[in-house]
Coordinates of all heavy atoms in Angstrom, one line a residue:
M15 N 25.7 28.9 6.6 CA 26.0 27.6 6.0 C 27.1 27.8 5.1 O 27.1 28.7 4.3 CB 24.7 27.1 5.3 CG 25.0 25.7 4.7 SD 23.5 25.0 3.9 CE 22.6 24.5 5.2
S16 N 28.1 26.9 5.1 CA 29.2 27.0 4.2 C 28.9 26.7 2.7 O 27.8 26.1 2.5 CB 30.3 26.1 4.7 OG 29.9 24.7 4.4
N17 N 29.7 27.1 1.8 CA 29.5 26.7 0.4 C 29.4 25.2 0.2 O 28.6 24.8 -0.6 CB 30.6 27.3 -0.4 CG 30.5 28.8 -0.6 OD1 29.4 29.4 -0.4 ND2 31.6 29.5 -1.0
T18 N 30.2 24.5 0.9 CA 30.2 23.0 0.8 C 28.8 22.5 1.2 O 28.2 21.7 0.6 CB 31.3 22.4 1.6 OG1 32.5 22.9 1.2 CG2 31.3 20.9 1.4
G19 N 28.3 23.0 2.3 CA 27.0 22.6 2.8 C 25.9 23.0 1.9 O 25.0 22.2 1.7
Q20 N 26.0 24.1 1.3 CA 25.0 24.6 0.3 C 25.0 23.7 -0.9 O 24.0 23.3 -1.4 CB 25.2 26.0 0.0 CG 24.8 27.0 1.0 CD 25.1 28.4 0.7 OE1 25.8 28.7 -0.2 NE2 24.4 29.3 1.4
L21 N 26.2 23.4 -1.4 CA 26.3 22.5 -2.5 C 25.8 21.1 -2.3 O 25.1 20.5 -3.1 CB 27.8 22.4 -3.0 CG 28.4 23.6 -3.7 CD1 29.9 23.3 -3.9 CD2 27.7 23.8 -5.0
E22 N 26.0 20.6 -1.1 CA 25.5 19.3 -0.7 C 24.0 19.3 -0.6 O 23.3 18.4 -1.1 CB 26.1 18.8 0.6 CG 27.5 18.4 0.6 CD 27.7 17.2 -0.3 OE1 26.9 16.2 -0.3 OE2 28.7 17.2 -1.1
L23 N 23.5 20.4 -0.1 CA 22.0 20.5 0.0 C 21.3 20.6 -1.4 O 20.3 19.9 -1.6 CB 21.6 21.8 0.8 CG 20.2 22.0 1.0 CD1 19.5 20.9 1.8 CD2 20.0 23.4 1.8
K24 N 22.0 21.4 -2.2 CA 21.5 21.5 -3.6 C 21.5 20.2 -4.4 O 20.6 19.8 -5.1 CB 22.2 22.6 -4.4 CG 21.8 24.0 -4.0 CD 22.6 25.0 -4.8 CE 22.2 26.4 -4.4 NZ 22.9 27.5 -5.1
K25 N 22.6 19.5 -4.2 CA 22.8 18.1 -4.8 C 21.8 17.2 -4.3 O 21.1 16.4 -5.1 CB 24.2 17.6 -4.5 CG 24.5 16.3 -5.1 CD 25.9 15.8 -4.8 CE 26.2 14.4 -5.3 NZ 27.5 13.9 -4.9
G26 N 21.5 17.2 -3.0 CA 20.5 16.3 -2.4 C 19.1 16.7 -2.9 O 18.3 15.7 -3.3
M27 N 18.8 17.9 -3.1 CA 17.5 18.4 -3.6 C 17.3 18.0 -5.1 O 16.3 17.5 -5.5 CB 17.3 19.9 -3.4 CG 17.2 20.3 -2.0 SD 15.8 19.6 -1.1 CE 14.5 20.5 -1.9
K28 N 18.4 18.1 -5.8 CA 18.4 17.7 -7.2 C 18.1 16.2 -7.3 O 17.3 15.8 -8.2 CB 19.7 18.1 -7.9 CG 19.9 17.6 -9.3 CD 19.2 18.3 -10.3 CE 19.6 18.0 -11.7 NZ 18.7 17.1 -12.4
Q29 N 18.8 15.5 -6.5 CA 18.7 14.0 -6.6 C 17.2 13.6 -6.2 O 16.6 12.8 -6.9 CB 19.6 13.3 -5.6 CG 19.6 11.8 -5.6 CD 20.5 11.2 -4.7 OE1 21.0 11.9 -3.7 NE2 20.9 10.0 -4.8
M30 N 16.6 14.3 -5.2 CA 15.3 14.0 -4.8 C 14.3 14.4 -5.9 O 13.3 13.7 -6.2 CB 14.9 14.7 -3.5 CG 15.6 14.0 -2.3 SD 15.0 14.6 -0.7 CE 15.6 16.4 -0.7
D31 N 14.5 15.5 -6.6 CA 13.7 15.9 -7.6 C 13.7 15.0 -8.8 O 12.7 14.6 -9.4 CB 14.0 17.3 -8.1 CG 13.6 18.4 -7.1 OD1 12.8 18.2 -6.3 OD2 14.2 19.6 -7.3
D32 N 14.9 14.4 -9.1 CA 15.1 13.5 -10.2 C 14.4 12.2 -9.9 O 13.7 11.6 -10.7 CB 16.6 13.2 -10.4 CG 17.3 14.4 -11.1 OD1 16.7 15.3 -11.5 OD2 18.6 14.3 -11.1
I33 N 14.5 11.7 -8.6 CA 13.8 10.5 -8.2 C 12.3 10.7 -8.3 O 11.6 9.8 -8.7 CB 14.3 10.0 -6.8 CG1 15.8 9.6 -6.9 CG2 13.5 8.9 -6.3 CD1 16.4 9.4 -5.5
R34 N 11.9 11.8 -7.8 CA 10.4 12.1 -7.8 C 9.9 12.1 -9.2 O 8.8 11.5 -9.5 CB 10.2 13.5 -7.2 CG 8.7 13.8 -7.0 CD 8.4 15.2 -6.3 NE 9.1 15.3 -5.1 CZ 10.2 16.1 -4.9 NH1 10.7 16.7 -5.9 NH2 10.7 16.2 -3.7
A35 N 10.6 12.7 -10.2 CA 10.2 12.6 -11.6 C 10.1 11.2 -12.1 O 9.2 10.9 -12.8 CB 11.1 13.5 -12.4
E36 N 11.1 10.4 -11.7 CA 11.1 9.0 -12.2 C 9.9 8.3 -11.6 O 9.4 7.4 -12.3 CB 12.4 8.4 -11.8 CG 13.6 8.7 -12.7 CD 14.7 7.8 -12.6 OE1 14.6 6.5 -12.8 OE2 15.8 8.3 -12.1
I37 N 9.6 8.6 -10.3 CA 8.5 7.9 -9.7 C 7.2 8.2 -10.4 O 6.4 7.3 -10.7 CB 8.4 8.2 -8.2 CG1 9.5 7.6 -7.5 CG2 7.1 7.9 -7.6 CD1 9.7 8.1 -6.0
V38 N 7.0 9.5 -10.8 CA 5.8 9.9 -11.5 C 5.7 9.1 -12.8 O 4.7 8.6 -13.3 CB 5.7 11.4 -11.7 CG1 4.6 11.9 -12.6 CG2 5.6 12.1 -10.3
E39 N 6.8 9.1 -13.6 CA 6.9 8.5 -14.8 C 6.6 6.9 -14.7 O 5.9 6.4 -15.5 CB 8.3 8.6 -15.5 CG 8.4 7.9 -16.8 CD 9.8 8.0 -17.4 OE1 10.5 8.9 -17.0 OE2 10.2 7.2 -18.2
A40 N 7.2 6.3 -13.7 CA 7.0 4.9 -13.5 C 5.5 4.6 -13.1 O 5.0 3.6 -13.6 CB 7.9 4.4 -12.3
H41 N 4.9 5.4 -12.4 CA 3.5 5.2 -12.1 C 2.6 5.3 -13.3 O 1.7 4.6 -13.5 CB 3.1 6.2 -11.0 CG 1.7 6.0 -10.5 ND1 0.6 6.6 -11.0 CD2 1.3 5.1 -9.4 CE1 -0.5 6.1 -10.3 NE2 -0.1 5.3 -9.4
R42 N 3.0 6.3 -14.1 CA 2.2 6.5 -15.4 C 2.4 5.2 -16.3 O 1.4 4.7 -16.9 CB 2.7 7.7 -16.1 CG 1.9 8.1 -17.3 CD 2.3 9.4 -18.0 NE 2.5 10.5 -17.1 CZ 3.7 11.1 -16.8 NH1 4.8 10.8 -17.5 NH2 3.7 12.1 -15.9
E43 N 3.6 4.7 -16.3 CA 3.8 3.4 -17.1 C 3.0 2.3 -16.5 O 2.5 1.5 -17.3 CB 5.3 3.1 -17.1 CG 6.1 4.1 -18.0 CD 7.6 3.8 -17.8 OE1 8.0 2.8 -17.2 OE2 8.4 4.6 -18.4
W44 N 3.0 2.2 -15.3 CA 2.2 1.2 -14.6 C 0.7 1.3 -14.9 O 0.1 0.3 -15.3 CB 2.4 1.2 -13.1 CG 1.8 0.1 -12.2 CD1 1.5 -1.1 -12.7 CD2 1.5 0.2 -10.8 NE1 1.0 -1.8 -11.6 CE2 1.0 -1.1 -10.5 CE3 1.7 1.2 -9.9 CZ2 0.6 -1.3 -9.2 CZ3 1.3 0.9 -8.6 CH2 0.8 -0.4 -8.3
E45 N 0.2 2.5 -14.9 CA -1.2 2.7 -15.2 C -1.5 2.3 -16.7 O -2.5 1.7 -17.0 CB -1.6 4.1 -15.0 CG -1.7 4.5 -13.5 CD -2.1 6.0 -13.3 OE1 -1.6 6.8 -14.1 OE2 -2.8 6.2 -12.3
N46 N -0.6 2.7 -17.6 CA -0.7 2.4 -19.0 C -0.7 0.9 -19.2 O -1.4 0.4 -20.1 CB 0.4 3.1 -19.8 CG 0.2 4.6 -19.9 OD1 -0.9 5.1 -19.8 ND2 1.2 5.3 -20.2
A47 N 0.2 0.2 -18.5 CA 0.3 -1.3 -18.7 C -1.1 -1.9 -18.2 O -1.5 -2.8 -18.9 CB 1.4 -1.8 -17.8
N48 N -1.6 -1.3 -17.2 CA -2.9 -1.9 -16.7 C -4.0 -1.6 -17.7 O -4.8 -2.5 -18.0 CB -3.3 -1.3 -15.3 CG -2.6 -1.9 -14.2 OD1 -2.8 -3.1 -13.9 ND2 -1.7 -1.2 -13.6
R49 N -4.0 -0.4 -18.4 CA -5.0 -0.2 -19.4 C -4.8 -1.1 -20.6 O -5.8 -1.6 -21.2 CB -4.9 1.3 -19.8 CG -5.8 2.2 -19.1 CD -5.9 3.6 -19.7 NE -4.6 4.3 -19.6 CZ -4.2 5.0 -18.5 NH1 -4.9 5.0 -17.5 NH2 -3.0 5.6 -18.6
F50 N -3.5 -1.3 -21.0 CA -3.2 -2.2 -22.1 C -3.8 -3.6 -21.8 O -4.4 -4.2 -22.7 CB -1.7 -2.2 -22.4 CG -1.3 -3.2 -23.5 CD1 -1.7 -2.8 -24.8 CD2 -0.7 -4.3 -23.3 CE1 -1.3 -3.7 -25.8 CE2 -0.3 -5.2 -24.3 CZ -0.7 -4.9 -25.6
F51 N -3.6 -4.1 -20.6 CA -4.1 -5.4 -20.2 C -5.7 -5.4 -20.4 O -6.2 -6.4 -20.9 CB -3.8 -5.7 -18.8 CG -4.4 -7.0 -18.3 CD1 -3.8 -8.2 -18.6 CD2 -5.5 -7.0 -17.5 CE1 -4.3 -9.4 -18.2 CE2 -6.0 -8.2 -17.0 CZ -5.4 -9.4 -17.4
N52 N -6.3 -4.4 -20.1 CA -7.8 -4.4 -20.2 C -8.3 -4.5 -21.6 O -9.4 -4.9 -21.9 CB -8.4 -3.1 -19.6 CG -8.3 -3.0 -18.1 OD1 -8.3 -4.0 -17.4 ND2 -8.1 -1.8 -17.6
Y53 N -7.4 -4.1 -22.6 CA -7.8 -4.2 -24.0 C -7.0 -5.3 -24.8 O -7.2 -5.4 -26.0 CB -7.6 -2.8 -24.7 CG -8.5 -1.8 -24.1 CD1 -8.1 -0.9 -23.1 CD2 -9.8 -1.7 -24.5 CE1 -8.9 0.1 -22.6 CE2 -10.7 -0.8 -24.0 CZ -10.2 0.1 -23.0 OH -11.1 1.0 -22.5
A54 N -6.3 -6.0 -24.1 CA -5.5 -7.1 -24.7 C -6.4 -8.1 -25.3 O -7.4 -8.5 -24.7 CB -4.5 -7.7 -23.7
V55 N -6.0 -8.6 -26.5 CA -6.8 -9.6 -27.2 C -5.9 -10.8 -27.5 O -4.8 -10.6 -28.1 CB -7.4 -9.1 -28.5 CG1 -8.2 -10.2 -29.3 CG2 -8.3 -7.9 -28.2
G56 N -6.2 -12.0 -27.2 CA -5.5 -13.1 -27.5 C -4.4 -13.4 -26.5 O -4.0 -12.5 -25.7
K57 N -3.9 -14.6 -26.5 CA -3.0 -15.1 -25.5 C -1.7 -14.3 -25.5 O -1.1 -13.9 -24.5 CB -2.7 -16.6 -25.7 CG -1.7 -17.2 -24.7 CD -1.4 -18.6 -25.0 CE -0.5 -19.3 -24.0 NZ 0.6 -18.5 -23.5
D58 N -1.1 -14.1 -26.7 CA 0.2 -13.4 -26.8 C 0.1 -11.9 -26.2 O 1.0 -11.5 -25.5 CB 0.7 -13.3 -28.2 CG 1.1 -14.6 -28.7 OD1 1.4 -15.5 -27.9 OD2 1.1 -14.8 -29.9
Q59 N -1.0 -11.2 -26.5 CA -1.2 -9.8 -26.0 C -1.4 -9.8 -24.5 O -0.8 -9.0 -23.8 CB -2.3 -9.1 -26.7 CG -2.0 -8.6 -28.1 CD -3.0 -7.7 -28.6 OE1 -4.1 -7.4 -27.9 NE2 -2.9 -7.2 -29.9
V60 N -2.2 -10.8 -24.0 CA -2.4 -10.9 -22.6 C -1.1 -11.2 -21.8 O -0.8 -10.6 -20.8 CB -3.5 -12.0 -22.3 CG1 -3.6 -12.3 -20.8 CG2 -4.9 -11.5 -22.8
D61 N -0.3 -12.2 -22.4 CA 1.0 -12.5 -21.8 C 1.9 -11.3 -21.7 O 2.6 -11.0 -20.7 CB 1.7 -13.7 -22.5 CG 1.0 -15.0 -22.3 OD1 0.2 -15.1 -21.4 OD2 1.4 -15.9 -23.0
Y62 N 2.0 -10.6 -22.9 CA 2.8 -9.4 -22.9 C 2.3 -8.3 -22.0 O 3.1 -7.7 -21.3 CB 2.8 -8.8 -24.4 CG 3.7 -7.6 -24.5 CD1 5.1 -7.7 -24.4 CD2 3.1 -6.4 -24.7 CE1 5.9 -6.5 -24.5 CE2 3.9 -5.2 -24.8 CZ 5.3 -5.3 -24.7 OH 6.0 -4.2 -24.9
A63 N 1.0 -8.1 -21.9 CA 0.5 -7.1 -21.0 C 0.8 -7.4 -19.5 O 1.1 -6.5 -18.7 CB -1.1 -7.0 -21.2
I64 N 0.7 -8.7 -19.2 CA 1.1 -9.1 -17.8 C 2.5 -8.8 -17.5 O 2.9 -8.3 -16.5 CB 0.7 -10.6 -17.6 CG1 -0.8 -10.8 -17.6 CG2 1.3 -11.1 -16.3 CD1 -1.3 -12.2 -17.6
Y65 N 3.4 -9.2 -18.5 CA 4.8 -8.9 -18.3 C 5.0 -7.4 -18.1 O 5.8 -7.0 -17.2 CB 5.5 -9.4 -19.5 CG 7.0 -9.0 -19.6 CD1 7.9 -9.6 -18.8 CD2 7.4 -7.9 -20.4 CE1 9.3 -9.2 -18.8 CE2 8.7 -7.5 -20.4 CZ 9.7 -8.1 -19.6 OH 10.9 -7.7 -19.6
C66 N 4.4 -6.6 -18.9 CA 4.5 -5.1 -18.8 C 4.0 -4.6 -17.4 O 4.7 -3.8 -16.8 CB 3.8 -4.4 -19.9 SG 4.5 -4.6 -21.5
M67 N 2.9 -5.2 -17.0 CA 2.4 -4.7 -15.7 C 3.4 -5.1 -14.5 O 3.6 -4.2 -13.7 CB 1.0 -5.4 -15.4 CG -0.1 -4.9 -16.2 SD -1.6 -5.9 -16.1 CE -1.9 -6.2 -14.4
I68 N 3.9 -6.3 -14.6 CA 4.8 -6.7 -13.5 C 6.1 -5.9 -13.5 O 6.5 -5.4 -12.5 CB 5.1 -8.2 -13.7 CG1 3.9 -9.1 -13.3 CG2 6.3 -8.6 -12.8 CD1 4.0 -10.5 -13.7
T69 N 6.6 -5.7 -14.7 CA 7.8 -4.9 -14.8 C 7.6 -3.4 -14.4 O 8.4 -2.9 -13.6 CB 8.3 -4.9 -16.3 OG1 8.5 -6.3 -16.7 CG2 9.6 -4.1 -16.5
A70 N 6.5 -2.8 -14.8 CA 6.3 -1.4 -14.4 C 6.0 -1.3 -12.9 O 6.5 -0.4 -12.2 CB 5.0 -0.9 -15.1
E71 N 5.3 -2.3 -12.3 CA 5.1 -2.3 -10.9 C 6.4 -2.4 -10.1 O 6.7 -1.7 -9.1 CB 4.1 -3.4 -10.5 CG 3.8 -3.5 -9.0 CD 2.8 -4.5 -8.6 OE1 2.5 -5.4 -9.5 OE2 2.4 -4.5 -7.5
K72 N 7.3 -3.3 -10.6 CA 8.6 -3.6 -9.9 C 9.4 -2.3 -9.9 O 10.1 -2.0 -9.0 CB 9.3 -4.7 -10.5 CG 8.6 -6.1 -10.3 CD 8.6 -6.4 -8.8 CE 7.9 -7.8 -8.6 NZ 7.7 -8.1 -7.2
R73 N 9.4 -1.6 -11.1 CA 10.2 -0.4 -11.2 C 9.7 0.7 -10.3 O 10.4 1.3 -9.6 CB 10.2 0.1 -12.6 CG 10.9 1.4 -12.8 CD 11.0 1.8 -14.3 NE 11.8 3.0 -14.4 CZ 11.3 4.2 -14.8 NH1 10.0 4.3 -15.2 NH2 12.0 5.3 -14.9
Y74 N 8.4 0.8 -10.2 CA 7.7 1.8 -9.3 C 8.1 1.5 -7.9 O 8.5 2.4 -7.1 CB 6.2 1.7 -9.5 CG 5.4 2.7 -8.7 CD1 5.5 4.1 -8.9 CD2 4.5 2.2 -7.8 CE1 4.8 4.9 -8.1 CE2 3.7 3.1 -7.1 CZ 3.8 4.4 -7.2 OH 3.1 5.3 -6.4
E75 N 8.0 0.3 -7.4 CA 8.3 -0.1 -6.1 C 9.8 0.1 -5.8 O 10.1 0.6 -4.7 CB 7.9 -1.6 -5.8 CG 6.5 -1.9 -5.8 CD 6.1 -3.3 -5.8 OE1 7.0 -4.2 -5.9 OE2 5.0 -3.7 -5.6
M76 N 10.6 -0.2 -6.7 CA 12.1 0.0 -6.5 C 12.4 1.5 -6.4 O 13.1 1.8 -5.5 CB 12.8 -0.6 -7.8 CG 14.3 -0.4 -7.7 SD 15.1 1.0 -8.6 CE 14.3 1.1 -10.1
L77 N 11.8 2.3 -7.1 CA 12.0 3.8 -7.0 C 11.4 4.3 -5.7 O 12.1 5.2 -5.1 CB 11.4 4.5 -8.2 CG 12.1 4.3 -9.5 CD1 11.2 4.8 -10.7 CD2 13.4 5.0 -9.5
L78 N 10.3 3.8 -5.2 CA 9.8 4.2 -3.9 C 10.8 3.8 -2.8 O 11.1 4.6 -1.9 CB 8.4 3.6 -3.7 CG 7.3 4.2 -4.5 CD1 6.0 3.5 -4.2 CD2 7.2 5.7 -4.2
R79 N 11.3 2.7 -2.9 CA 12.3 2.2 -1.9 C 13.6 3.1 -2.0 O 14.1 3.5 -0.9 CB 12.7 0.7 -2.1 CG 11.7 -0.2 -1.6 CD 12.2 -1.7 -1.5 NE 12.7 -2.1 -2.8 CZ 11.9 -2.7 -3.7 NH1 10.6 -2.9 -3.5 NH2 12.4 -3.1 -4.9
L80 N 14.0 3.4 -3.1 CA 15.2 4.3 -3.3 C 14.9 5.7 -2.7 O 15.7 6.2 -2.0 CB 15.5 4.5 -4.8 CG 16.6 5.5 -5.2 CD1 18.0 5.0 -4.6 CD2 16.7 5.6 -6.7
A81 N 13.7 6.2 -3.0 CA 13.4 7.5 -2.4 C 13.4 7.5 -0.9 O 13.9 8.4 -0.3 CB 12.0 8.0 -2.9
K82 N 12.9 6.4 -0.3 CA 12.8 6.3 1.2 C 14.2 6.2 1.7 O 14.5 6.8 2.8 CB 11.9 5.1 1.6 CG 10.5 5.4 1.3 CD 9.6 4.2 1.7 CE 8.2 4.5 1.3 NZ 7.3 3.4 1.6
R83 N 15.1 5.5 1.0 CA 16.5 5.4 1.5 C 17.3 6.7 1.3 O 18.1 7.0 2.1 CB 17.2 4.3 0.8 CG 17.0 2.9 1.2 CD 18.0 1.9 0.6 NE 18.3 2.1 -0.8 CZ 17.6 1.5 -1.8 NH1 16.7 0.6 -1.5 NH2 18.0 1.7 -3.1
T84 N 16.9 7.4 0.3 CA 17.6 8.7 0.0 C 17.3 9.8 1.0 O 18.1 10.6 1.3 CB 17.2 9.1 -1.5 OG1 17.6 8.1 -2.4 CG2 18.0 10.4 -1.8
S85 N 16.0 9.8 1.4 CA 15.6 10.9 2.3 C 15.0 10.3 3.6 O 14.0 9.6 3.5 CB 14.6 11.8 1.6 OG 14.1 12.7 2.5
K86 N 15.7 10.6 4.6 CA 15.1 10.1 5.9 C 13.8 10.8 6.3 O 13.1 10.3 7.1 CB 16.2 10.3 7.0 CG 17.4 9.4 6.7 CD 18.3 9.4 7.9 CE 19.6 8.6 7.7 NZ 19.9 8.0 6.5
N87 N 13.5 11.9 5.7 CA 12.3 12.7 5.9 C 11.3 12.4 4.8 O 10.7 13.4 4.3 CB 12.6 14.2 6.0 CG 13.5 14.5 7.1 OD1 13.4 13.9 8.2 ND2 14.5 15.4 6.9
W88 N 11.1 11.2 4.4 CA 10.2 10.9 3.3 C 8.8 11.5 3.4 O 8.4 12.2 2.4 CB 10.1 9.4 3.1 CG 9.1 9.0 2.1 CD1 7.9 8.4 2.3 CD2 9.1 9.1 0.7 NE1 7.2 8.2 1.2 CE2 8.0 8.6 0.1 CE3 10.1 9.7 -0.2 CZ2 7.7 8.6 -1.2 CZ3 9.8 9.7 -1.5 CH2 8.6 9.2 -2.0
P89 N 8.1 11.5 4.5 CA 6.8 12.0 4.5 C 6.8 13.5 4.3 O 5.8 14.1 3.8 CB 6.3 11.8 6.0 CG 7.1 10.6 6.4 CD 8.4 10.7 5.7
A90 N 7.8 14.2 4.6 CA 7.9 15.7 4.4 C 8.7 16.0 3.1 O 9.1 17.1 2.9 CB 8.6 16.3 5.6
W91 N 8.7 15.1 2.2 CA 9.6 15.2 1.0 C 8.9 15.9 -0.1 O 9.1 15.6 -1.2 CB 10.0 13.8 0.7 CG 11.2 13.7 -0.2 CD1 12.4 14.4 0.0 CD2 11.4 12.9 -1.3 NE1 13.3 14.1 -1.0 CE2 12.7 13.2 -1.8 CE3 10.6 12.0 -2.0 CZ2 13.2 12.5 -2.9 CZ3 11.1 11.4 -3.1 CH2 12.4 11.7 -3.5
R92 N 8.0 16.9 0.2 CA 7.3 17.6 -0.8 C 6.3 16.7 -1.6 O 5.9 17.0 -2.7 CB 8.1 18.4 -1.8 CG 8.8 19.5 -1.1 CD 9.4 20.5 -2.0 NE 10.6 19.9 -2.6 CZ 11.2 20.3 -3.7 NH1 10.8 21.3 -4.3 NH2 12.3 19.7 -4.1
G93 N 6.2 15.5 -1.2 CA 5.2 14.5 -1.7 C 5.5 14.1 -3.2 O 6.3 14.8 -3.8
V94 N 4.9 13.1 -3.6 CA 4.9 12.6 -5.0 C 3.5 12.5 -5.4 O 2.7 11.8 -4.9 CB 5.6 11.2 -5.1 CG1 5.5 10.7 -6.5 CG2 7.0 11.2 -4.6
R95 N 3.2 13.4 -6.4 CA 1.8 13.4 -6.9 C 1.8 12.5 -8.1 O 2.5 12.8 -9.1 CB 1.5 14.9 -7.3 CG 1.4 15.8 -6.1 CD 0.9 17.1 -6.4 NE 1.1 18.2 -5.6 CZ 1.4 18.3 -4.3 NH1 1.5 17.2 -3.6 NH2 1.5 19.4 -3.6
V96 N 0.9 11.5 -8.0 CA 0.8 10.6 -9.1 C -0.7 10.6 -9.6 O -1.5 11.2 -9.1 CB 1.1 9.2 -8.7 CG1 2.6 9.1 -8.5 CG2 0.4 8.7 -7.5

């Protein structure tokens, strides 16, 4: 494999690792938002908790779509452990 090919491979692996880390973080934020909702008191806290849940879920879904577009071999992509 040429140096250019190796650099591209390393760049692709780094990008996938970065996306994978963001996915794990986004999932954690989504879980935290759900926990916050469970303990929210009053209309304002409930409204804020719902907003946080929706935002975290959208970010998580967006990152999953990005990962699938980035790697055509998503199922074999060393997995995302959440």
Side-chain angles (χ1 to χ4, degrees):
M15 181 179 285
S16 69
N17 285 342
T18 305
Q20 288 177 341
L21 285 174
E22 287 298 317
L23 181 62
K24 285 182 182 181
K25 182 180 174 185
M27 294 299 290
K28 169 80 168 101
Q29 183 181 19
M30 289 189 294
D31 287 342
D32 291 347
I33 294 170
R34 186 180 306 106
E36 281 194 64
I37 289 171
V38 170
E39 178 186 339
H41 188 266
R42 189 176 310 119
E43 289 174 6
W44 185 22
E45 288 178 327
N46 288 339
N48 281 293
R49 269 193 292 279
F50 179 68
F51 177 78
N52 290 331
Y53 295 99
V55 177
K57 182 184 180 322
D58 290 340
Q59 280 189 6
V60 169
D61 287 347
Y62 179 72
I64 291 170
Y65 171 77
C66 289
M67 287 170 49
I68 292 169
T69 303
E71 182 178 9
K72 294 295 181 189
R73 178 174 182 246
Y74 180 64
E75 291 172 349
M76 180 262 317
L77 288 168
L78 288 176
R79 283 191 302 274
L80 174 63
K82 288 176 184 179
R83 280 193 315 267
T84 301
S85 174
K86 296 192 180 2
N87 298 320
W88 172 251
W91 202 45
R92 291 191 288 163
V94 174
R95 296 188 198 337
V96 289

